[in-house]
Amino acid sequence: MALQCGIVGLPNVGKSTLFNCLSNAKAQSANFPFCTIEPNVGVITVPDERLNKLVEIVEPKNVVPATVEIVDIAGLVKGASKGEGLGNKFLANIRETDAILHVLRCFDNDNITHVDGSVDPVRDKEIIDYELQLKDLETVEARIARTQKQAQTGGDKVAKMQYEVLKQIKDALDQGHPARSVKFETPDEQKFARELFLLTSKPVMYVCNVDDASAVNGNKYVDAVREAVKNEDAQILIVAAQTEADIAELDTWEERQEFLAEIGLEESGVARLIRAAYALLNLQTYFTAGVVEVRAWTFLRGSKAPQCAGIIHTDFEKGFIRAEVIKYDDFVSLGSEAAVKEAGKMSVEGKEYVVQDGDIMHFRFNV
């Protein structure tokens, strides 16, 4: 499922260091491969202890983890919305992603020059927000110009609905708020808003890049970011990118865990970031488990059984008959599929079953 998170940020905030850490994530989470589609796109495995536990129980010949795509997007400068610097490329790359990881510099270091001369993550955030909002405003105003007359003079209900949606988004952008801050009630309004593909409608996670000492509890810069985004529909994650880079260079899992313990962390920030990116994309995991292969399959939250079957093969969805479902906790506690069946813990579900995160699935189909 090719949904992507884009990493954005001003120059010298630690964006590339973080991306490089992600590219080495296999050294920190599990012995699964990292591959590069092109220089700035990485397909990264999602750390999941449930998969490791299933492998331990089933002992399969092959293991396939869930993955998430991370894109390292070119740095932004003021005026990007007007094409300054790599502005057009930057904005086009963001438009192609499904969610944004916005890296903010939250550390002091005299040896790393800040593009604006001082460390101020809230200002940095506002620079990028402003450029994205300007571009969205340009898009919305162009659509309003095409829709307004038809909405106000004719009896076209669809045009009227679209005009009202556009007007609400424009009002929010004019006030410096992202498009995602506007909530629409009807499915038609929500669908039209999504189809505008606005930059500021994408889900966002602010990644506060801190120094070693602030990796656990953050610092004054992180506190400032929290305050600045408290009314946004966005999340915050604290990561010490340089520390993560140091961890990635250690040879063994034991050495990495010892390093993490020394700074007060139970797991690496990269592992937390990958899982957070996965959740930000509204993704969940179901499993198939057999002696040939244990595999994690990625699906969109809220998907029904036939759609999840289709992720394996389109024929599974076309000829869907039923799904045999085992809950992860039951499989682990009872130790095998046979034991689960004997205990009456396997359910048989039809086309309306909404697949849950962690379900172990077996699909019956006929084409």
Side-chain angles (χ1 to χ4, degrees), residues 28 242-250 256 259-260 263 268:
Q28 300 170 51
Q242 188 53 56
T243 302
E244 297 292 327
D246 294 339
I247 292 171
E249 291 180 3
L250 297 174
R256 292 191 291 273
F259 191 119
L260 288 168
I263 60 174
S268 74

